Amino acid sequence: MTKPPLTLYLAAPRGFCAGVDRAVKIVEMALLKWGAPVYVRHEIVHNRFVVEGLRAKGAVFVEELDECPDDRPVIFSAHGVPKSVPAAAAARGMVFVDATCPLVSKVHAEAARHHEEGLQMVMIGHAGHPEVLGTMGQLPPGEVLLVETVEDVAKLAPRDPAQLAYITQTTLSVDDTAAVIAALQSRFPTIVGPAKEDICYATTNRQAAVREIAPKIEALLVIGAPNSSNSRRLVEVGRAAGCGYAQLVQSASDIDWRALGAPTAVGVTAGASAPEVLVDQVINAFRDRFSVKLELVETAREDVEFKVPRVLRS
């Protein structure tokens, strides 16, 4: 039986970013250096496939430091942790490795610098997200005010409206963040912003690629985890760019073929925590049902690489 024709537009860049690649390497190198088990506080990155792969090699994932024994290494996730966590690990004499993405660490440094200058921080981000908890935990309680929406800006009650600075979660939608920043600047004209936007290059590049393919496709599949902020934002960006059907899938087995219908053009991308093997599985699933023509849509080239901590290189 002849398969119906389908063009798959493959977004580039997609998938692993430099921060995720570094974090996964840190766990793998720690296992090689110290042997199993190595403990990891929180999921190293937000992807079940990656986490399960590392668990099979001997990584033990926990939510809190008190679940870790004193005599085994512990790794802090790529999303970053409050200052109290490494302090507690040091007090217990634990060996610990910080896998916080360097771009998240840059935001931490910005917050600390503004705090030293007497400014109260406003953080644009999603309540409860590990990166937000880690960043807010860099400063004393009450020194970081969280906003998610333009409406939240109107309710802000800062200590001194003339002494404010803002930072953002690195995995947000560029467009949504721009609206919140504009609202902050309108209400607080003297608010200080970062010299360079906090949203990371990988988030920006992946969103730009989705905008590029959106006019060409009838449906968009974003490969990523439900708790991955940057993956969920890719779905939102696709819809905002005019893609009527956009679905987040963790793997090929999650594709809702009935809802997808009989398209002739589909876009595929992957969040920054999703490995390329999951993209290959999705492509093969389409090849089982369609006569697939692959089209690569590349909007940027990425050559960023972050070094792993010195303790793992020695």
Side-chain angles (χ1 to χ4, degrees), residues 194-263:
K196 186 181 179 185
E197 69 170 20
D198 293 330
I199 295 175
C200 85
Y201 77 93
T203 298
T204 302
N205 288 348
R206 279 149 191 72
Q207 291 177 10
V210 165
R211 288 191 195 90
E212 184 70 21
I213 63 175
K216 310 173 191 287
I217 59 178
E218 299 149 59
L220 173 71
L221 294 185
V222 177
I223 304 163
N227 60 340
S228 166
S229 175
N230 78 86
S231 298
R232 294 204 314 272
R233 300 294 83 73
L234 288 173
V235 174
E236 294 171 4
V237 167
R239 288 173 182 158
C243 189
Y245 180 86
Q247 182 189 3
L248 181 67
V249 297
Q250 296 198 71
S251 65
S253 61
D254 294 332
I255 299 173
D256 187 341
W257 298 103
R258 186 179 299 236
L260 204 59

Side-chain angles (χ1 to χ4, degrees), residues 33-68:
K33 178 164 184 163
W34 291 300
V38 165
Y39 285 75
V40 184
R41 185 189 179 278
H42 193 70
E43 291 184 344
I44 188 69
V45 295
H46 282 158
N47 187 274
R48 186 177 65 194
F49 183 89
V50 172
V51 168
E52 291 302 324
L54 293 172
R55 185 177 278 126
K57 295 177 181 179
V60 178
F61 292 89
V62 299
E63 286 305 306
E64 297 301 338
L65 195 64
D66 59 16
E67 299 173 62
C68 305

